[in-house]
């Protein structure tokens, strides 16, 4: 499963890319608002693309098809790694089809149902982003959605990749792996929770303490 970092924070992106922990980046307007400050978001997208050798999702702001197409084309020109993110609306699906016919990859975002995911796949989406954490937030079962979309995409051999989004904790990642999701995007905090284990830390301390007692060099 591909692991994407859900942030526009360049320091976090450099750290994770340098450790080879990530396969791509997702951003959204809220994450860009937190990270950009006075900088031009397009410059930040370019810098992210030069840092990470993989898909970098950049979201349109327009809500009508023609302006989404125009923004999507501008975003795609920034770098080959850019995947244009459009919302799961009627216009978003029209824009998805249009951008795909021009060879531009599209991530359809804000997906909350199997029927939405099905329509996005039919519109040629490269990625579908179901927001599991936001479903859990309103007492739903976000991961059920992932299992159902997996089944539908397999039933009909859709090539759209399931990109589990709005991940809140490592169990969301475990479930994504077990359900056969293609990608999972997560905030930096969750990424580092994936590799931490208290028994690893305890074991390492004990090994180092014993070596110290031995008093030898390697
Ligand atoms: C996905 O692409 C979104 O950027 C993201 O996962 C949303 O997560 P949130 O619900 O924690 O804001």
């Amino acid at each position: 499963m591909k692991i994407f970092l859900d942030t526009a924070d360049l320091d976090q992106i450099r750290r994770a890319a340098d450790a080879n922990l990530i396969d791509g980046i997702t951003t959204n307007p809220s994450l860009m608002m937190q990270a950009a400050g006075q900088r031009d978001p397009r410059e930040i997208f370019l810098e992210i693309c030069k840092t990470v050798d993989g898909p970098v999702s950049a979201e349109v702001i327009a809500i009508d098809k023609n302006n989404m197409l125009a923004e999507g084309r501008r975003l795609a020109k920034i770098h080959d790694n850019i995947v244009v993110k459009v919302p799961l609306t009627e216009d978003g699906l029209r824009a998805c089809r249009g951008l795909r016919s021009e060879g531009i990859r599209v991530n359809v975002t804000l997906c909350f149902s199997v029927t939405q995911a099905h329509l996005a796949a039919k519109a040629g989406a490269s990625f579908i982003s179901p927001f599991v954490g936001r479903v859990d937030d309103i007492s739903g079962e976000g991961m059920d959605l992932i299992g159902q979309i997996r089944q539908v995409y397999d039933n009909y051999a859709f090539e759209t990749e399931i990109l589990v989004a709005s991940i809140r904790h490592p169990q969301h990642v475990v479930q994504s792996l077990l359900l056969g999701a293609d990608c999972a995007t997560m905030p930096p905090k969750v990424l580092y929770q994936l590799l931490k284990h208290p028994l690893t830390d305890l074991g390492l301390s004990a090994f180092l303490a014993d070596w110290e007692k031995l008093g030898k060099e390697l």
Side-chain angles (χ1 to χ4, degrees), residues 8-214:
D9 180 328
L10 277 160
D11 289 337
Q12 292 287 358
I13 291 170
R14 283 192 199 99
R15 176 183 169 192
D18 194 53
N20 283 308
L21 292 174
I22 52 171
D23 304 291
I25 298 292
T26 53
T27 65
N28 63 38
S30 307
L31 293 169
M32 193 48 89
M33 181 270 291
Q34 288 161 25
Q38 297 308 309
R39 295 190 63 188
D40 179 343
R42 284 168 302 186
E43 265 177 36
I44 298 181
F45 285 133
L46 180 60
E47 219 168 312
I48 296 174
C49 289
K50 287 178 176 167
T51 308
V52 178
D53 186 20
V56 173
S57 289
E59 190 158 345
V60 298
I61 306 303
I63 53 170
D64 66 287
K65 175 195 140 188
N66 287 337
N67 283 315
M68 282 188 204
L69 283 172
E71 287 181 3
R73 289 180 191 123
R74 281 203 294 277
L75 288 167
K77 280 205 182 96
I78 294 174
H79 195 280
D80 284 350
N81 288 354
I82 292 284
V83 174
V84 176
K85 215 168 167 188
V86 303
L88 213 158
T89 58
E90 183 177 336
D91 276 65
L93 294 184
R94 289 175 198 263
C96 175
R97 191 170 288 284
L99 292 166
R100 293 297 291 133
S101 71
E102 295 173 26
I104 297 172
R105 287 179 296 169
V106 178
N107 174 357
V108 178
T109 188
L110 289 167
C111 171
F112 292 94
S113 75
V114 178
T115 54
Q116 287 182 318
H118 178 223
L119 293 175
K122 284 169 69 78
S126 317
F127 299 92
I128 183 72
S129 289
F131 278 34
V132 295
R134 294 192 193 187
V135 174
D136 292 356
D137 288 345
I138 56 162
S139 303
E141 277 293 341
M143 294 313 300
D144 285 355
L145 184 55
I146 303 304
Q148 289 165 3
I149 297 173
R150 177 76 283 155
Q151 190 178 331
V152 169
Y153 280 11
D154 289 350
N155 285 350
Y156 297 97
F158 285 119
E159 287 178 5
T160 302
E161 294 190 48
I162 301 173
L163 197 178
V164 183
S166 187
I167 280 182
R168 303 267 193 264
H169 46 68
Q171 259 307 320
H172 277 150
V173 181
V174 173
Q175 290 303 314
S176 301
L177 287 161
L178 293 172
L179 290 166
D182 301 287
C183 331
T185 189
M186 63 204 72
K189 177 177 171 242
V190 176
L191 176 68
Y192 295 105
Q193 284 175 328
L194 300 185
L195 64 81
K196 286 294 279 181
H197 198 289
L199 292 179
T200 305
D201 296 342
L202 277 173
L204 182 60
S205 302
F207 287 155
L208 293 178
D210 285 344
W211 191 264
E212 181 94 25
K213 284 179 213 150
L214 187 64

